[in-house]
Amino acid sequence: MSTIEKRNKYVMKILYPFPMKLSNGYTYMLSILQFLNVLSLRLDVTLCSLDTDKEIDEYFTKVLGEEKNKEFKIKTLSNKFLGIKSNKFVFFYNLKQFIKSIESPIVIYSRDLKQMRLAIKGFRDSNNKYFIFETHQILSENYQRNGDYNNSKVLRKLESFVFKNSDLLISITE
């Protein structure tokens, strides 16, 4: 048994759902990829996205000028139903099917409020499913400061649900 196999035998799997193509290369996507790449040096990390392993490999070499870790796994999920491109819910349905196929404990890690809400609602009654939410700002307060009280109220409810039901919150802000 290799060192990685021994390590992963005792460590939970971390799944990072992202229902877009990370290889589009927006700044926040770059930081997600770099973070997951480094995290996969120590933990069993799988990115669930619309990208293929080849697309992520090419992104790392062409855009970042570095290699993707061999331990960093990519699970390509579709956002199409009956050949028609759909929304995040089709992606989440496919994510849910993938998660059901994994027997070991899983940490679902995200910085997307809507994906985390779907994950919590979909798996909160499941054993061995844990939720880590990474927050960068309190969006509802931003809307409130700008006088957009309707969006602030909607986001406050979403944030409250995710914050209360996550097993761990990681704050990347004051």
Side-chain angles (χ1 to χ4, degrees):
M1 189 180 290
S2 73
T3 304
I4 301 238
E5 289 171 326
K6 286 179 189 174
R7 178 192 76 198
N8 290 338
K9 182 178 178 183
Y10 302 105
V11 176
M12 285 185 232
K13 295 180 181 300
I14 296 177
L15 296 182
Y16 195 103
F18 197 83
M20 295 171 59
K21 289 187 83 61
L22 280 158
S23 60
N24 286 340
Y26 300 112
T27 305
Y28 69 97
M29 295 174 176
L30 168 80
S31 66
I32 290 169
L33 284 174
Q34 289 177 317
F35 167 70
L36 295 175
N37 196 43
V38 171
L39 190 62
S40 69
L41 290 170
R42 299 279 182 232
L43 300 170
D44 184 347
V45 176
T46 301
L47 168 66
C48 299
S49 80
L50 301 178
D51 290 292
T52 65
D53 196 36
K54 182 181 177 187
E55 289 171 320
I56 296 292
D57 279 341
E58 287 175 0
Y59 182 81
F60 267 92
T61 56
K62 290 180 181 174
V63 176
L64 301 176
E66 58 186 72
E67 295 288 321
K68 178 178 77 65
N69 273 323
K70 290 174 180 60
E71 292 83 18
F72 181 18
K73 298 179 204 87
I74 309 298
K75 173 66 177 171
T76 306
L77 297 175
S78 177
N79 66 342
K80 296 179 182 176
F81 179 71
L82 299 175
I84 300 169
K85 197 178 208 180
S86 186
N87 56 25
K88 293 179 182 183
F89 293 105
V90 173
F91 175 87
F92 185 75
Y93 174 80
N94 291 324
L95 175 69
K96 194 170 183 178
Q97 299 311 307
F98 175 62
I99 290 172
K100 285 180 180 180
S101 73
I102 301 170
E103 294 180 20
S104 63
I106 297 171
V107 173
I108 300 169
Y109 187 113
S110 183
R111 60 192 272 183
D112 182 295
L113 283 164
K114 291 177 183 175
Q115 281 299 300
M116 186 56 81
R117 177 184 59 196
L118 287 171
I120 291 169
K121 285 185 173 187
F123 293 104
R124 79 169 126 195
D125 295 329
S126 301
N127 289 332
N128 296 324
K129 305 292 184 281
Y130 305 93
F131 308 97
I132 298 177
F133 184 73
E134 179 182 309
T135 183
H136 292 254
Q137 58 185 316
I138 308 296
L139 294 170
S140 60
E141 289 182 8
N142 293 347
Y143 280 112
Q144 188 170 5
R145 264 184 251 135
N146 292 330
D148 189 346
Y149 301 110
N150 289 336
N151 276 327
S152 177
K153 185 177 178 180
V154 170
L155 270 172
R156 170 89 52 201
K157 185 176 177 182
L158 175 59
E159 288 168 335
S160 179
F161 177 83
V162 170
F163 295 168
K164 286 178 184 175
N165 290 286
S166 292
D167 293 296
L168 180 66
L169 292 174
I170 297 177
S171 179
I172 314 291
T173 186
E174 290 181 24

